[in-house]
Protein backbone atom coordinates (compact mmCIF):
# COMPACT_ATOMS: atom_id res chain seq x y z
CA UNK A 1 0.00 0.00 0.00
CA UNK A 2 1.02 3.62 -0.43
CA UNK A 3 0.51 6.26 2.23
CA UNK A 4 0.84 9.86 1.17
CA UNK A 5 1.04 12.75 3.60
CA UNK A 6 0.07 15.89 1.75
CA UNK A 7 0.77 19.39 3.11
CA UNK A 8 0.15 18.33 6.69
CA UNK A 9 -0.02 21.08 9.27
CA UNK A 10 -0.72 20.41 12.94
CA UNK A 11 -1.17 23.03 15.63
CA UNK A 12 -1.74 22.03 19.26
CA UNK A 13 -4.10 24.56 20.81
CA UNK A 14 -3.60 25.39 24.45
CA UNK A 15 -5.87 28.15 25.63
CA UNK A 16 -5.15 31.17 23.46
CA UNK A 17 -1.79 30.04 22.21
CA UNK A 18 -0.80 27.33 19.79
CA UNK A 19 2.23 25.15 19.17
CA UNK A 20 2.98 24.60 15.50
CA UNK A 21 4.11 20.95 15.52
CA UNK A 22 4.08 20.26 11.76
CA UNK A 23 4.13 22.74 8.93
CA UNK A 24 3.48 21.82 5.28
CA UNK A 25 4.86 18.32 5.58
CA UNK A 26 4.57 16.12 2.51
CA UNK A 27 5.96 12.58 2.34
CA UNK A 28 5.13 9.36 0.56
CA UNK A 29 5.55 5.86 1.96
CA UNK A 30 5.85 3.41 -0.90
CA UNK A 31 5.35 -0.36 -1.05
CA UNK A 32 8.58 -2.26 -0.45
CA UNK A 33 10.37 0.80 0.89
CA UNK A 34 11.49 2.03 4.29
CA UNK A 35 11.53 5.77 4.86
CA UNK A 36 13.33 6.98 7.96
CA UNK A 37 12.07 10.15 9.59
CA UNK A 38 14.85 11.62 11.66
CA UNK A 39 15.12 14.77 13.72
CA UNK A 40 15.74 15.82 17.26
CA UNK A 41 13.29 15.60 20.11
CA UNK A 42 10.34 17.96 19.66
CA UNK A 43 10.71 18.20 15.87
CA UNK A 44 7.25 16.67 15.31
CA UNK A 45 8.05 13.03 14.47
CA UNK A 46 5.52 11.44 16.81
CA UNK A 47 2.88 13.99 15.79
CA UNK A 48 3.28 12.84 12.18
CA UNK A 49 2.82 9.17 13.12
CA UNK A 50 -0.20 9.90 15.29
CA UNK A 51 -1.75 12.05 12.55
CA UNK A 52 -1.47 9.13 10.10
CA UNK A 53 -3.23 6.89 12.64
CA UNK A 54 -5.95 9.46 13.38
CA UNK A 55 -4.87 9.48 17.01
CA UNK A 56 -4.06 13.12 17.66
CA UNK A 57 -5.76 14.67 20.71
CA UNK A 58 -8.78 16.92 20.27
CA UNK A 59 -6.56 19.93 21.00
CA UNK A 60 -4.76 19.36 17.70
CA UNK A 61 -5.90 21.38 14.71
CA UNK A 62 -5.08 19.43 11.56
CA UNK A 63 -4.87 20.65 7.96
CA UNK A 64 -3.74 18.76 4.90
CA UNK A 65 -4.48 15.21 3.87
CA UNK A 66 -3.42 11.65 4.64
CA UNK A 67 -4.11 9.43 1.64
CA UNK A 68 -4.00 5.62 1.80
CA UNK A 69 -3.98 3.97 -1.63
CA UNK A 70 -5.75 6.97 -3.14
CA UNK A 71 -8.37 7.21 -0.39
CA UNK A 72 -8.34 10.24 1.90
CA UNK A 73 -8.40 9.16 5.55
CA UNK A 74 -10.56 11.17 7.90
CA UNK A 75 -8.68 10.95 11.19
CA UNK A 76 -11.72 12.17 13.10
CA UNK A 77 -14.00 9.40 11.81
CA UNK A 78 -13.38 6.67 14.40
CA UNK A 79 -15.49 4.05 12.62
CA UNK A 80 -13.61 4.52 9.36
CA UNK A 81 -10.22 4.67 11.08
CA UNK A 82 -10.95 1.48 13.01
CA UNK A 83 -11.51 -0.38 9.76
CA UNK A 84 -8.04 0.68 8.64
CA UNK A 85 -6.06 0.43 11.89
CA UNK A 86 -4.11 -2.78 12.52
CA UNK A 87 -5.22 -4.42 9.27
CA UNK A 88 -3.94 -1.84 6.78
CA UNK A 89 -2.04 0.66 8.86
CA UNK A 90 -0.46 0.08 12.23
CA UNK A 91 2.02 1.72 14.55
CA UNK A 92 4.42 0.73 17.29
CA UNK A 93 4.03 3.64 19.69
CA UNK A 94 6.80 5.44 21.47
CA UNK A 95 6.49 4.33 25.13
CA UNK A 96 4.10 1.71 23.79
CA UNK A 97 4.50 -0.48 26.88
CA UNK A 98 1.95 1.81 28.50
CA UNK A 99 -0.59 0.53 25.97
CA UNK A 100 -0.27 -3.08 27.11
CA UNK A 101 -2.78 -4.29 29.66
CA UNK A 102 -0.85 -5.35 32.79
CA UNK A 103 -3.54 -7.89 33.65
CA UNK A 104 -3.53 -9.84 30.37
CA UNK A 105 -1.05 -12.43 29.16
CA UNK A 106 1.02 -11.24 26.22
CA UNK A 107 -0.16 -13.90 23.77
CA UNK A 108 -3.78 -12.85 24.41
CA UNK A 109 -2.89 -9.22 23.73
CA UNK A 110 -1.12 -10.00 20.47
CA UNK A 111 -4.19 -12.05 19.45
CA UNK A 112 -6.56 -9.14 20.02
CA UNK A 113 -6.11 -7.32 16.69
CA UNK A 114 -6.71 -10.65 14.90
CA UNK A 115 -10.01 -11.12 16.69
CA UNK A 116 -11.25 -7.53 16.62
CA UNK A 117 -9.84 -6.34 13.29
CA UNK A 118 -9.06 -9.51 11.37
CA UNK A 119 -12.20 -11.57 11.91
CA UNK A 120 -10.24 -14.53 13.32
CA UNK A 121 -11.70 -16.98 15.81
CA UNK A 122 -10.07 -17.21 19.24
CA UNK A 123 -8.27 -20.50 18.67
CA UNK A 124 -6.71 -19.51 15.33
CA UNK A 125 -5.91 -16.01 16.63
CA UNK A 126 -3.95 -17.51 19.53
CA UNK A 127 -2.01 -19.78 17.16
CA UNK A 128 -1.15 -16.89 14.88
CA UNK A 129 -0.22 -14.67 17.83
CA UNK A 130 2.13 -17.40 19.07
CA UNK A 131 3.77 -17.57 15.62
CA UNK A 132 4.15 -13.78 15.58
CA UNK A 133 5.84 -13.85 18.99
CA UNK A 134 8.23 -16.59 17.89
CA UNK A 135 9.15 -14.50 14.83
CA UNK A 136 10.36 -11.71 17.14
CA UNK A 137 12.39 -14.17 19.17
CA UNK A 138 9.94 -14.72 22.03
CA UNK A 139 9.60 -18.48 22.55
CA UNK A 140 6.54 -20.37 23.81
CA UNK A 141 7.85 -20.34 27.38
CA UNK A 142 7.20 -16.58 27.46
CA UNK A 143 3.78 -16.45 25.80
CA UNK A 144 1.71 -16.82 28.96
CA UNK A 145 3.63 -14.18 30.87
CA UNK A 146 2.26 -10.80 31.89
CA UNK A 147 3.98 -7.63 30.61
CA UNK A 148 5.75 -6.93 33.93
CA UNK A 149 7.45 -10.34 33.71
CA UNK A 150 9.39 -9.30 30.59
CA UNK A 151 12.41 -7.08 30.03
CA UNK A 152 12.06 -3.73 28.25
CA UNK A 153 13.46 -5.17 25.04
CA UNK A 154 11.07 -8.12 25.20
CA UNK A 155 8.10 -5.80 25.74
CA UNK A 156 9.17 -3.77 22.73
CA UNK A 157 9.20 -6.98 20.68
CA UNK A 158 5.69 -7.86 21.90
CA UNK A 159 4.54 -4.47 20.58
CA UNK A 160 6.29 -5.14 17.28
CA UNK A 161 4.64 -8.56 16.99
CA UNK A 162 1.26 -7.02 17.75
CA UNK A 163 1.59 -4.19 15.22
CA UNK A 164 2.59 -6.67 12.52
CA UNK A 165 0.24 -9.51 13.39
CA UNK A 166 -2.21 -8.64 10.59
CA UNK A 167 0.65 -7.89 8.19
CA UNK A 168 -0.55 -4.33 7.46
CA UNK A 169 0.38 -2.63 4.20
CA UNK A 170 1.83 0.30 6.11
CA UNK A 171 3.83 -0.04 9.32
CA UNK A 172 4.90 2.96 11.40
CA UNK A 173 7.56 2.44 14.06
CA UNK A 174 8.09 5.29 16.52
CA UNK A 175 11.51 5.05 18.19
CA UNK A 176 11.45 1.24 18.08
CA UNK A 177 15.04 0.88 19.27
CA UNK A 178 15.40 3.45 22.02
CA UNK A 179 17.13 1.89 25.01
CA UNK A 180 17.16 -1.57 23.46
CA UNK A 181 19.73 -4.32 23.91
CA UNK A 182 21.64 -5.42 20.79
CA UNK A 183 19.55 -8.58 20.33
CA UNK A 184 16.24 -6.70 20.36
CA UNK A 185 17.66 -4.06 18.02
CA UNK A 186 18.71 -6.78 15.59
CA UNK A 187 15.19 -8.21 15.67
CA UNK A 188 13.64 -4.81 14.95
CA UNK A 189 15.99 -4.58 11.95
CA UNK A 190 14.94 -8.06 10.78
CA UNK A 191 11.23 -7.25 11.08
CA UNK A 192 11.73 -4.09 8.99
CA UNK A 193 13.71 -5.98 6.33
CA UNK A 194 11.11 -8.73 6.09
CA UNK A 195 8.18 -6.30 5.90
CA UNK A 196 9.92 -4.38 3.11
CA UNK A 197 10.70 -7.64 1.28
CA UNK A 198 6.97 -8.52 1.42
CA UNK A 199 6.19 -5.19 -0.25
CA UNK A 200 5.03 -3.35 2.84
CA UNK A 201 5.63 0.39 3.32
CA UNK A 202 7.57 1.20 6.49
CA UNK A 203 8.02 4.53 8.26
CA UNK A 204 10.89 4.34 10.72
CA UNK A 205 10.78 7.27 13.15
CA UNK A 206 14.01 7.54 15.08
CA UNK A 207 16.72 9.76 16.38
CA UNK A 208 19.16 6.82 16.05
CA UNK A 209 20.92 7.97 12.87
CA UNK A 210 23.12 4.93 12.56
CA UNK A 211 20.18 2.53 12.75
CA UNK A 212 18.21 4.66 10.27
CA UNK A 213 21.07 4.78 7.77
CA UNK A 214 21.29 0.98 7.83
CA UNK A 215 17.56 0.23 7.52
CA UNK A 216 16.14 2.94 5.30
CA UNK A 217 15.97 3.43 1.53
CA UNK A 218 15.41 7.13 2.06
CA UNK A 219 15.68 9.58 4.90
CA UNK A 220 13.59 12.65 5.64
CA UNK A 221 15.03 15.20 8.02
CA UNK A 222 12.47 16.96 10.18
CA UNK A 223 13.37 20.18 11.96
CA UNK A 224 10.91 22.36 13.87
CA UNK A 225 7.98 20.68 12.13
CA UNK A 226 9.32 21.02 8.60
CA UNK A 227 10.96 18.50 6.30
CA UNK A 228 14.30 20.14 5.51
CA UNK A 229 15.29 17.57 2.93
CA UNK A 230 14.88 13.97 1.86
CA UNK A 231 17.97 12.13 0.75
CA UNK A 232 19.46 8.67 0.25
CA UNK A 233 20.80 7.30 3.54
CA UNK A 234 24.39 7.28 2.28
CA UNK A 235 24.26 11.02 1.70
CA UNK A 236 23.09 11.86 5.20
CA UNK A 237 26.53 11.51 6.65
CA UNK A 238 28.60 12.38 3.60
CA UNK A 239 26.70 14.91 1.51
CA UNK A 240 23.92 16.71 3.41
CA UNK A 241 22.59 19.71 1.54
CA UNK A 242 21.15 21.59 4.45
CA UNK A 243 23.49 22.79 7.21
CA UNK A 244 21.21 21.36 9.96
CA UNK A 245 21.34 17.88 8.45
P1 LIG B 1 9.11 14.33 18.50
O1 LIG B 1 8.39 13.03 18.41
O2 LIG B 1 9.93 14.64 17.28
O3 LIG B 1 9.92 14.43 19.75
P2 LIG B 1 6.49 15.51 18.98
O4 LIG B 1 5.67 15.24 17.78
O5 LIG B 1 6.26 14.64 20.17
O6 LIG B 1 8.04 15.51 18.57
O7 LIG B 1 6.27 17.01 19.44
C1 LIG B 1 6.34 18.11 18.53
C2 LIG B 1 5.96 19.39 19.26
O8 LIG B 1 4.59 19.35 19.65
C3 LIG B 1 6.74 19.63 20.55
O9 LIG B 1 6.92 21.01 20.69
C4 LIG B 1 5.81 19.10 21.62
O10 LIG B 1 6.03 19.74 22.85
C5 LIG B 1 4.44 19.44 21.05
N1 LIG B 1 3.40 18.47 21.46
C6 LIG B 1 3.41 17.14 21.25
N2 LIG B 1 2.29 16.56 21.72
C7 LIG B 1 1.55 17.57 22.26
C8 LIG B 1 0.27 17.62 22.92
N3 LIG B 1 -0.46 16.52 23.10
N4 LIG B 1 -0.16 18.82 23.33
C9 LIG B 1 0.58 19.95 23.14
N5 LIG B 1 1.77 19.97 22.53
C10 LIG B 1 2.27 18.80 22.10
MG1 LIG C 1 8.51 11.32 19.55
Amino acid sequence: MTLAVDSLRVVYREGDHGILALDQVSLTLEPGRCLALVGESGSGKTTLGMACMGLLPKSAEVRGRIILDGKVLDGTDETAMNRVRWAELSMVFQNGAANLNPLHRIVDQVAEPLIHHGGAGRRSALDRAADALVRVGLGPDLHRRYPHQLSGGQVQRVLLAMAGVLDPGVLILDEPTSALDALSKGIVAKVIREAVARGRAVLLITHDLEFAVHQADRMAVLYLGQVLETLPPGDLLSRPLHPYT
Side-chain angles (χ1 to χ4, degrees):
M1 301 187 98
T2 300
L3 185 81
V5 173
D6 176 26
S7 309
L8 186 65
R9 179 184 151 95
V10 176
V11 176
Y12 291 105
R13 290 278 165 216
E14 276 184 5
D16 57 359
H17 80 281
I19 299 164
L20 178 61
L22 291 175
D23 192 14
Q24 292 297 113
V25 169
S26 298
L27 295 170
T28 306
L29 308 182
E30 292 169 45
R33 302 258 157 204
C34 175
L35 175 76
L37 182 66
V38 300
E40 65 195 59
S41 182
S43 56
K45 305 184 298 298
T46 295
T47 299
L48 184 109
M50 297 304 256
C52 293
M53 298 296 295
L55 292 173
L56 289 173
K58 289 225 159 28
S59 64
E61 185 185 289
V62 183
R63 298 241 189 92
R65 299 182 307 169
I66 312 280
I67 305 158
L68 183 65
D69 271 358
K71 235 183 73 195
V72 176
L73 297 181
D74 176 359
T76 62
D77 181 344
E78 274 301 294
T79 314
M81 287 309 297
N82 269 326
R83 273 197 293 272
V84 172
R85 287 182 198 136
W86 299 101
E88 297 180 359
L89 172 61
S90 76
M91 179 162 170
V92 173
F93 300 99
Q94 190 173 6
N95 310 320
N99 295 324
L100 289 179
N101 187 325
L103 304 176
H104 290 173
R105 300 179 191 279
I106 58 166
V107 69
D108 291 327
Q109 302 199 51
V110 174
E112 266 174 39
L114 289 161
I115 295 168
H116 297 298
H117 298 264
R122 197 177 140 72
R123 170 81 48 88
S124 98
L126 283 173
D127 287 345
R128 285 165 66 186
D131 290 344
L133 285 168
V134 168
R135 281 198 300 276
V136 294
L138 300 172
D141 52 314
L142 301 173
H143 294 183
R144 293 178 57 74
R145 289 202 183 171
Y146 295 92
H148 75 271
Q149 296 171 318
L150 299 175
S151 73
Q154 289 171 330
V155 166
Q156 188 68 8
R157 287 189 263 148
V158 170
L159 297 168
L160 198 60
M162 199 167 163
V165 77
L166 278 164
D167 195 17
V170 180
L171 186 59
I172 300 173
L173 309 172
D174 192 359
E175 305 286 3
T177 60
S178 51
L180 283 197
D181 51 285
L183 168 69
S184 295
K185 218 163 153 167
I187 285 169
V188 175
K190 183 188 85 146
V191 167
I192 293 174
R193 266 200 315 276
E194 290 174 354
V196 166
R198 281 197 310 280
R200 308 303 174 238
V202 178
L203 178 65
L204 169 63
I205 296 174
T206 185
H207 60 254
D208 184 340
L209 283 184
E210 201 195 327
F211 188 76
V213 164
H214 281 103
Q215 303 313 319
D217 303 289
R218 248 188 124 61
M219 321 259 297
V221 181
L222 197 62
Y223 178 67
L224 294 177
Q226 291 186 309
V227 174
L228 290 186
E229 62 178 319
T230 62
L231 69 176
D235 288 3
L236 186 88
L237 305 174
S238 59
R239 293 196 298 138
L241 296 178
H242 192 282
Y244 171 76
T245 309

